[in-house]
Amino acid sequence: MMKSIVSSKYLACLVGSIILNLLFIINIYVGGQWKLSWSSRAAIEAETVAAIYCSGHGRAYLDGLVVVGNKPVCDCNTCFTGPGCSKFIPHCTANADGGDPLFLEPFWMQHLASSALVVAGWHQMSYTYSGKSFFSEELAKVVRKVHASVRNAVTQNRFIIFGAGSTQVLSAAVFALSPENTSSPAKVVTSVPYYPVDKQQTQYFSSQKFKYEGDAYRWKNRSDCSITNMIEIVTSPNNPDGQLKKAIFHGPNVKTIYDHAYYWPHFTPIPAPSDEDVMVFTLSKLTGHAGTRLGWAVIKDETVFNRMMIHMQMNSMGVSKDAQLRAFKLLNVVLEEGTGIFDFAYQTLKSRWERLVQTVSLSNRFSLQENNPQYCTFYNKVRQLSPAYAWLKCEREEDKDCYAVLEAANIIGRQGNLFGVEDGYVRLSLVRTQDDFDILIERLHKLITEEDGDKTM
């Protein structure tokens, strides 16, 4: 009798629990949609800040500038100021330095809902995923899908590793490809014009394992190259001139790293999927999210992969899980939109390049890099580059310091000598905000027309 009473009580408790849970589910799931509970405050905060009006010349951020009362205020674009960024600053300097890919910001403004992310305070607090890896397997799957969709890299039967931007991944690759037991360090080379960070980073971390040795062409005809350990970093498309490059060195003692940060169809025609031993990519030049600091490498050899993993573990204990989560969300949007982000980015950069060419063509004082059409497998047509940067050359003999010429005209670029060439070149960024680009064109046009006016006088 007692057992029957106890069983009845347990049954009543079970039924009561089920009813309470059903009532809870009904309460939070109304009208075909989940009713927000703990995430509602975060959503309200995010939307409140996003709604702050900045005249189209700036943005307010939850973790950005604040005033009294901790109320976020507008962070204005170059040459704009005031509470709502509505006041233009005359005679300000056009900023064409740096590679902040803010030209993609309008695309994400059009995809607010699909790209938004709300994270619980307890989300992924451990160092690793399921106690095994520092890197998200699901993110790696999405990366493979993106490459398969774009057809810019072979990822089947390859290993993928993540890092804090392509900068850290490149550093890990140099360490992994260096000889383990040798009295002579590997020679790390790049061909001019080269990406400055390759030189700067290799010199900074120089050790008994490797040493930066400058321009690859200086070593091409050396008799000792065949017996010397070489690591060549090939940036393709190249930064600063956007050209598709190939390795100069080949042989059993040569290791090659392909930096494919810009090997996406909005920057360059994709002639074929890249199938190199080590290929490095970055989220910043694909989606524009440079501040997320996430890059990855696609690697053929398991030994190289394992050595890169050890370097990442010793260097930074993996990569921020928050960065990996955001990349996972953004890359899924890229897949959902099909060609959307590439169409938007390509048309934006194509338009900017055409405006720049039209402006520069008004004078013989300056010239730009070659832009030869190639067949693009992504768009299934022949097309030109839509480069991230203009590689501007001052043609006059007296304009030996091209950076100084532009600086005098209120234009800041990046000096040619940083890329291993003479000062007659300057790199101009085409990937910054629309405001930055418009002011750059205005300053260039003024410089050229004033020059023509001087000639007339």
Side-chain angles (χ1 to χ4, degrees):
M1 183 69 176
M2 180 63 69
K3 288 183 178 180
S4 177
I5 294 171
V6 171
S7 297
S8 297
K9 287 183 177 180
Y10 275 118
L11 180 62
C13 288
L14 176 62
V15 171
S17 176
I18 292 172
I19 291 172
L20 285 172
N21 278 288
L22 285 172
L23 289 172
F24 176 73
I25 292 170
I26 291 169
N27 181 55
I28 64 173
Y29 189 75
V30 292
Q33 293 183 335
W34 286 99
K35 182 181 177 182
L36 297 180
S37 55
W38 60 268
S39 64
S40 59
R41 177 178 172 180
I44 291 170
E45 285 180 344
E47 295 218 22
T48 300
V49 174
I52 294 174
Y53 182 64
C54 299
S55 305
H57 301 297
R59 293 282 179 266
Y61 304 102
L62 196 60
D63 59 347
L65 300 172
V66 296
V67 294
V68 178
N70 290 326
K71 181 181 178 182
V73 296
C74 293
D75 187 354
C76 300
N77 294 345
T78 306
C79 298
F80 287 88
T81 189
C85 302
S86 60
K87 184 178 179 181
F88 180 70
I89 304 171
H91 314 299
C92 72
T93 299
N95 187 351
D97 190 13
D100 260 345
L102 295 172
F103 78 105
L104 281 165
E105 188 181 70
F107 174 83
W108 295 107
M109 293 295 292
Q110 297 166 15
H111 296 81
L112 293 174
S114 60
S115 62
L117 191 63
V118 178
V119 184
W122 45 259
H123 179 81
Q124 292 286 10
M125 293 173 65
S126 170
Y127 283 114
T128 60
Y129 292 87
S130 303
K132 298 177 181 178
S133 172
F134 291 114
F135 307 119
S136 166
E137 292 182 9
E138 294 306 310
L139 176 58
K141 290 177 184 178
V142 175
V143 165
R144 293 180 193 276
K145 289 179 182 178
V146 171
H147 283 301
S149 173
V150 177
R151 302 189 299 279
N152 66 338
V154 175
T155 62
Q156 188 175 7
N157 300 320
R158 303 291 189 270
F159 300 93
I160 292 180
I161 189 170
F162 296 102
S166 60
T167 307
Q168 188 186 32
V169 177
L170 284 164
S171 176
V174 171
F175 271 94
L177 294 173
S178 299
E180 292 193 72
N181 299 305
T182 179
S183 58
S184 178
K187 299 182 187 302
V188 181
V189 295
T190 52
S191 58
V192 296
Y194 49 69
Y195 177 45
V197 173
D198 292 337
K199 173 184 177 180
Q200 295 161 359
Q201 179 171 246
T202 307
Q203 288 179 330
Y204 184 82
F205 292 113
S206 182
S207 68
Q208 293 180 339
K209 295 166 66 68
F210 59 84
K211 183 180 180 182
Y212 185 75
E213 292 289 355
D215 182 16
Y217 287 104
R218 290 198 305 110
W219 295 89
K220 187 175 182 181
N221 297 319
R222 290 278 294 266
S223 59
D224 58 344
C225 275
S226 60
I227 60 172
T228 302
N229 290 309
M230 306 284 291
I231 299 174
E232 184 180 359
I233 302 175
V234 181
T235 305
S236 180
N238 194 30
N239 177 356
D241 60 11
Q243 303 302 308
L244 291 171
K245 298 174 70 174
K246 288 291 184 183
I248 294 172
F249 294 100
H250 304 278
N253 295 320
V254 176
K255 308 295 183 184
T256 309
I257 303 168
Y258 272 81
D259 181 352
H260 281 326
Y262 298 90
Y263 197 53
W264 298 101
H266 46 292
F267 294 116
T268 182
I270 306 294
S274 184
D275 188 17
E276 306 297 341
D277 290 343
V278 179
M279 301 176 287
V280 178
F281 297 87
T282 175
L283 186 73
S284 68
K285 299 307 183 288
L286 169 54
T287 69
H289 294 81
T292 300
R293 305 309 303 136
L294 190 123
W296 63 90
V298 180
I299 308 155
K300 280 186 181 181
D301 186 81
E302 187 173 7
T303 301
V304 175
F305 168 75
N306 287 332
R307 292 187 69 185
M308 289 180 70
M309 288 285 283
I310 292 171
H311 177 81
M312 290 297 187
Q313 184 174 351
M314 294 295 101
N315 184 263
S316 60
M317 291 285 284
V319 184
S320 162
K321 284 187 173 183
D322 293 336
Q324 293 185 70
L325 176 62
R326 193 176 193 200
F328 176 78
K329 181 69 172 179
L330 295 168
L331 292 180
N332 271 299
V333 175
V334 170
L335 290 170
E336 291 167 8
E337 292 296 319
T339 64
I341 192 169
F342 303 109
D343 294 342
F344 175 89
Y346 170 55
Q347 291 300 327
T348 301
L349 291 173
K350 177 174 177 287
S351 172
R352 291 185 180 188
W353 176 257
E354 289 172 349
R355 284 183 63 191
L356 179 66
V357 169
Q358 185 179 19
T359 302
V360 172
S361 65
L362 297 174
S363 170
N364 294 324
R365 188 176 185 179
F366 307 104
S367 64
L368 297 167
Q369 69 262 42
E370 290 185 2
N371 191 341
N372 298 317
Q374 292 191 55
Y375 186 78
C376 178
T377 57
F378 181 80
Y379 282 116
N380 294 315
K381 67 177 183 180
V382 175
R383 49 157 289 205
Q384 289 186 314
L385 298 173
S386 40
Y389 308 103
W391 191 226
L392 188 80
K393 182 182 181 182
C394 286
E395 295 288 354
R396 289 180 178 175
E397 181 67 27
E398 61 268 29
D399 291 342
K400 290 182 179 180
D401 188 348
C402 197
Y403 179 84
V405 171
L406 296 181
E407 187 179 34
N410 262 358
I411 300 169
I412 297 297
R414 189 160 291 185
Q415 300 100 312
N417 59 28
L418 293 175
F419 302 87
V421 300
E422 63 269 21
D423 288 329
Y425 288 89
V426 170
R427 192 195 75 173
L428 300 176
S429 177
L430 307 181
V431 295
R432 295 175 62 87
T433 68
Q434 189 63 41
D435 284 337
D436 284 316
F437 180 74
D438 289 340
I439 296 165
L440 168 63
I441 293 297
E442 181 183 325
R443 297 287 182 267
L444 276 173
H445 190 270
K446 182 180 179 182
L447 171 62
I448 290 170
T449 53
E450 285 182 350
E451 170 202 358
D452 290 340
D454 291 341
K455 287 180 181 178
T456 304
M457 292 175 68

